[in-house]
């Protein structure tokens, strides 16, 4: 693995040198240190040929939110067609009076005047940057005095590739965000040489290339071809647009918001961008293309549409959700939908078994948590069971799939409304009336009545308003992506006045729909703008291995975070409690390690901007009702101003992950006390001695060897030989071998010895 890294770094260095020498011979518009772009001035930096410009822009539906991006600027392209091809910080937006500057220290900085802080930087302040250049191909580069490339926008793409730009191993394109929420669609170049379209991080719905070639890059050529090439430019796979080899002035490849990858060409005659190739021909085959809007199908004109065929579905805010009523008094029935394939989203954990159609139906009917099943018989009979309201899929007459959706056999009957009987009329007797007394009594009564009504009205208004806001949070379940701001009063209502403490400064609460949540109390001294910026960023992240942030409170000196609730609590209590530890089987411990590793890898590489956890430990890993691990309290370092380099932050997460895996293997919470012993036992050929004695004879020897090796690599004192989280996940998945590691905390190993070890063919 280290050998491969050296090749990659060597190739990148050669590319930088060659690009730097090319730049010195091209007439380009130089951007000196200190240059600034601002929202108010609407200025921009333009390439020497005028084809590209970088500056602030916004969208009509977000008039007060601005981003910095590189866009087409050619006089041949109308202003409304000048597509943005790169955005600083991806999803980062700023307010009025903000600026983007190449500072005197050589660092590009995006400063948000609204938050009063830097929200994105190029992290090049220590790299002797002398100037910047926006090249004629749309690449923004930072150069030193020797014209060597120090940093370039081509190395950190957002959702677009331009001709000549490479998507190298572990690089990602991510579709643009919508409604302030990061997209779950990404294009990823894996280590095996495959280009993959993913939803979330685990669902691959399109791939190109064979998984036998490593160190490949995806590149878009100027003649309209997408290729997978080796460092020596040998081509291993290619696909061509409809206008391949035609004379086209501009092209770009973009991962669109609908999850499809498309190649666009500029049409001079029609003055439009036209899609000349797309990765997934049938849009309905893009995973979750309808998201929460139902099932994908094609109408009479051949266009794909999203429909909600569940006649008794729960309609909430235009969402198409299947029923989740498991306590139907008259019983449940299965409604058949022919030629329809369904799958669960939020989460995507469908249960697949081989069985008959009738057995498939009966299994769902007998399982209270089952909401729908799909039976397919395309060579082998399979039953896909869903246990979530959030179901998507596609329908087509050619599909050999039949789906069944559970619902109550009878709708709930409305209670009959009976007319109220009139009270018997009192017998009227003649009496004398005191007019002044009557007027005085009536006036007083009316006055008191008005005061009481106003008081009750105000009270009910406040209570109703609170309830509506809490109800909106109730609908913000795993499929919903809104982040709710709560008052301190609402936090107290959620938690029953903090009655149920489930951890240090952590309380259990419940939404109006009885869905439980976990409320975390933070220090009230956290600066409000920094707090809101951090939770906005964390709240836009969704991954099945991360505990979702549902809402927050930032009122006066109160700071609270509201997370989805995990039924089985923290991993720490299962490690410490001898009885509970028996539920942590060897298989479950390895699954937890892999799921946590994938979640941290997602934070490091698949979010728009790098995010570290900063405090990964068993206490911050929780287990849901299915005993699936979820990582909580990630990204909180931003709240406390814990600034460090991306590399240092990533390495801390790697080290913390290694400690957690060793805890899972050994059962010891404080691994620093047993690390040397564990390594000694492993070196002497007795790895089984390290295993938690509470485990039965169920340990897989190969998995144990793999887990210990990657643990010792993660805990290396020499940071130069620590693996990345991507490499850690590959090792745990069994797709990447790991060489025997040197002693983890031995300070006696010299740098020379470490280099000799890595040069001898070490894989990690």
């Amino acid at each position: 693995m280290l050998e491969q890294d050296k090749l990659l770094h060597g190739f990148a260095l050669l590319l930088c040198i060659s690009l730097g020498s090319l730049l010195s011979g091209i007439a380009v518009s130089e951007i000196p240190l200190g240059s600034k772009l601002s929202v108010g001035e609407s200025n921009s930096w333009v390439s020497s040929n005028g084809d590209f410009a970088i500056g602030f822009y916004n969208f009509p539906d977000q008039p007060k939110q601005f981003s910095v991006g590189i866009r087409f600027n050619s006089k041949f392209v109308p202003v409304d067609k000048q597509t943005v091809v790169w955005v600083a910080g991806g999803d980062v937006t700023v307010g009025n009076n903000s600026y983007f500057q190449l500072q005197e220290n050589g660092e590009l900085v995006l400063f948000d005047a609204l938050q009063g802080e830097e929200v994105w930087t190029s992290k090049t302040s220590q790299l002797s940057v002398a100037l910047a250049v926006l090249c004629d191909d749309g690449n923004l580069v930072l150069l030193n005095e020797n014209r060597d490339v120090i940093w370039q926008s081509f190395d950190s793409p957002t959702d677009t590739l331009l001709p000549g730009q490479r998507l190298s191993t572990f690089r990602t394109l991510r579709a643009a965000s919508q409604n302030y929420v990061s997209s779950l669609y990404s294009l990823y170049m894996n280590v095996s040489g495959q280009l993959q379209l993913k939803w979330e991080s685990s669902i691959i719905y399109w791939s190109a290339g064979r998984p036998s070639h490593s160190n490949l890059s995806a590149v878009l050529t100027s003649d309209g071809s997408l290729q997978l090439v080796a460092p020596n430019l040998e081509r291993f796979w290619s696909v061509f647009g409809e206008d391949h080899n035609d004379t086209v002035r501009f092209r770009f490849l973009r991962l669109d918001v609908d999850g499809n990858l498309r190649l666009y060409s500029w049409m001079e005659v029609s003055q439009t961008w036209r899609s000349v190739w797309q990765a997934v021909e049938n849009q309905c085959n893009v995973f979750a293309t309808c998201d929460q809007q139902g099932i994908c199908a094609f109408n009479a004109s051949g266009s794909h549409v999203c429909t909600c065929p569940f006649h008794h579905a729960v309609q909430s805010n235009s969402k198409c959700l299947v029923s989740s009523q498991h306590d139907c008094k008259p019983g449940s029935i299965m409604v058949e939908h022919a030629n329809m394939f369904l799958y669960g989203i939020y989460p995507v954990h469908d249960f697949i078994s081989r069985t008959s159609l009738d057995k498939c139906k009966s299994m769902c009917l007998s399982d209270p948590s089952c909401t729908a099943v799909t039976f397919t018989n395309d060579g082998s009979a399979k039953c896909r069971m869903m246990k979530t309201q959030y179901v998507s899929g596609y329908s087509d007459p050619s599909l050999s799939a039949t789906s069944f959706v559970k619902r109550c056999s009878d709708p709930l009957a409305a209670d009959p409304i009976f007319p109220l009987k009139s009270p018997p009329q009192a017998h009227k007797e003649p009496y004398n009336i005191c007019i002044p007394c009557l007027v005085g009594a009536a006036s007083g009564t009316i006055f008191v009545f008005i005061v009481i009504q106003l008081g009750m009205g105000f009270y009910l208004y406040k209570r109703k308003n609170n309830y509506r806001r809490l109800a909106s949070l109730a609908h913000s379940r795993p499929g919903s992506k809104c982040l709710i701001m709560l008052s301190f009063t609402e936090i107290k209502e959620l938690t029953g006045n903090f009655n149920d403490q489930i951890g240090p400064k952590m309380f259990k609460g419940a939404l109006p729909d009885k869905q439980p949540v976990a409320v975390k109390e933070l220090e009230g001294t956290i600066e409000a703008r920094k707090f809101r910026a951090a939770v906005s960023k964390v709240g836009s992240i969704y991954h099945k291995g991360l505990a979702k942030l549902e809402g927050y409170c930032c009122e006066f000196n109160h700071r609270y975070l509201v997370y989805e609730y995990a039924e089985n609590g923290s991993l720490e209590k299962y490690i410490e409690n001898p009885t509970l530890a028996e539920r942590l089987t060897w298989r479950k411990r390895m699954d937890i390690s892999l799921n946590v590793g994938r979640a941290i890898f997602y934070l490091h590489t698949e979010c728009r901007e790098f995010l570290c956890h900063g405090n990964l430990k068993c206490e911050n890993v929780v287990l849901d009702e299915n005993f699936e691990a979820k990582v909580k309290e990630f990204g909180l370092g931003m709240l406390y101003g814990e600034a460090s380099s991306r590399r240092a932050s990533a390495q801390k997460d790697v080290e913390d992950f290694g400690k957690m895996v060793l805890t899972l293997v050994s059962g010891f919470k404080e691994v620093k006390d047993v690390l040397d012993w564990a390594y000694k036992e492993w070196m002497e050929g007795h790895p089984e001695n390290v295993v938690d004695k509470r485990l039965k004879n169920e340990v897989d020897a190969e998995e144990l060897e793999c887990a210990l090796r990657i643990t010792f690599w993660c805990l290396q004192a020499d940071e130069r030989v620590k693996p990345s989280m991507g490499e850690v996940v590959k090792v745990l998945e069994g797709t990447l071998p790991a060489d025997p590691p040197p002693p983890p905390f031995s300070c006696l190993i010299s740098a020379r010895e470490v280099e000799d070890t890595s040069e001898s063919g070490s894989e990690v």
Side-chain angles (χ1 to χ4, degrees), residues 140-151:
L140 178 65
V141 298
L142 300 182
L143 308 174
N144 61 16
E145 292 183 352
N146 297 325
R147 295 280 180 158
D148 299 322
V149 175
I150 303 302
W151 176 94

Side-chain angles (χ1 to χ4, degrees), residues 149-371:
V149 175
I150 303 302
W151 176 94
Q152 57 182 337
S153 61
F154 270 17
D155 283 343
S156 55
T158 48
D159 64 351
T160 302
L161 285 184
L162 290 170
Q165 185 175 3
R166 291 173 178 261
L167 187 71
S168 56
T169 305
F170 300 129
R171 297 288 184 185
T172 299
L173 294 187
R174 186 169 296 280
S177 62
Q178 291 182 292
N179 301 321
Y180 304 100
V181 177
S182 294
S183 173
L184 298 181
Y185 291 114
S186 62
L187 177 71
Y188 178 70
M189 190 71 215
N190 73 9
V191 71
S192 301
Q194 284 186 299
L195 190 62
Q196 299 173 330
L197 283 174
K198 293 183 174 183
W199 184 86
E200 208 231 6
S201 62
S202 58
I203 302 298
I204 300 171
Y205 56 91
W206 177 86
S207 63
R210 298 192 303 272
S212 56
H213 304 287
S214 60
N215 202 20
L216 299 186
S217 299
V219 61
L220 175 65
T221 65
S222 59
D223 60 3
S225 171
L226 176 62
Q227 302 177 355
L228 297 182
V229 298
N232 62 1
L233 302 184
E234 180 183 0
R235 187 172 63 191
F236 286 88
W237 175 87
S238 61
V239 68
F240 305 95
E242 296 173 6
D243 58 356
H244 175 60
N245 280 334
D246 290 353
T247 301
V248 175
R249 191 180 298 272
F250 301 114
R251 303 180 193 270
F252 66 86
L253 182 77
R254 184 174 66 198
L255 178 56
D256 288 325
V257 294
D258 63 4
N260 217 330
L261 182 68
R262 295 182 177 91
L263 174 59
Y264 290 92
S265 296
W266 177 249
M267 300 290 104
E268 298 281 358
V269 176
S270 61
Q271 291 284 283
T272 58
W273 293 102
R274 184 168 73 92
S275 173
V276 295
W277 173 83
Q278 67 181 38
V280 185
E281 288 297 325
N282 184 344
Q283 182 63 33
C284 288
N285 288 334
V286 173
F287 190 85
T289 190
C290 287
D291 196 41
Q292 300 171 41
Q293 308 305 315
I295 307 304
C296 183
F298 285 88
N299 59 21
S301 64
S303 301
H304 83 278
V305 292
C306 295
T307 63
C308 189
F310 316 127
H311 299 299
H312 293 269
V314 179
Q315 298 296 329
S316 173
N317 299 327
S318 75
K319 297 175 185 176
C320 180
L321 310 181
V322 300
S323 175
S324 64
Q325 296 178 359
H326 307 312
D327 55 349
C328 299
K329 294 180 179 178
S332 299
I333 62 172
M334 303 299 291
V335 180
E336 181 175 345
H337 298 275
N339 308 117
M340 182 182 294
F341 186 91
L342 300 178
Y343 48 79
I345 56 176
Y346 314 122
V348 294
H349 291 160
D350 293 345
F351 300 86
I352 301 175
S353 59
R354 297 183 183 274
T355 185
S356 65
L357 184 145
D358 291 338
K359 181 66 173 175
C360 186
K361 287 174 57 179
S362 63
M363 284 194 306
C364 187
L365 273 173
S366 61
D367 188 337
S369 61
C370 176
T371 56

Side-chain angles (χ1 to χ4, degrees), residues 31 68 75 77 81 112 231 261 340 399 417 432 477 492 497-498 508 530 537 547 555 600 703 710 714 722-723 757:
I31 304 166
V68 172
K75 61 182 180 181
V77 181
K81 304 292 185 181
D112 185 6
L261 182 68
M340 182 182 294
L399 280 177
I417 301 175
N432 294 326
R477 301 317 304 151
K492 289 198 294 184
N497 203 21
F498 308 103
K508 184 179 180 180
K530 181 181 292 185
K537 182 176 180 180
E555 184 179 78
I600 302 301
E703 288 183 331
I710 199 60
C714 290
K722 281 184 179 178
T757 302

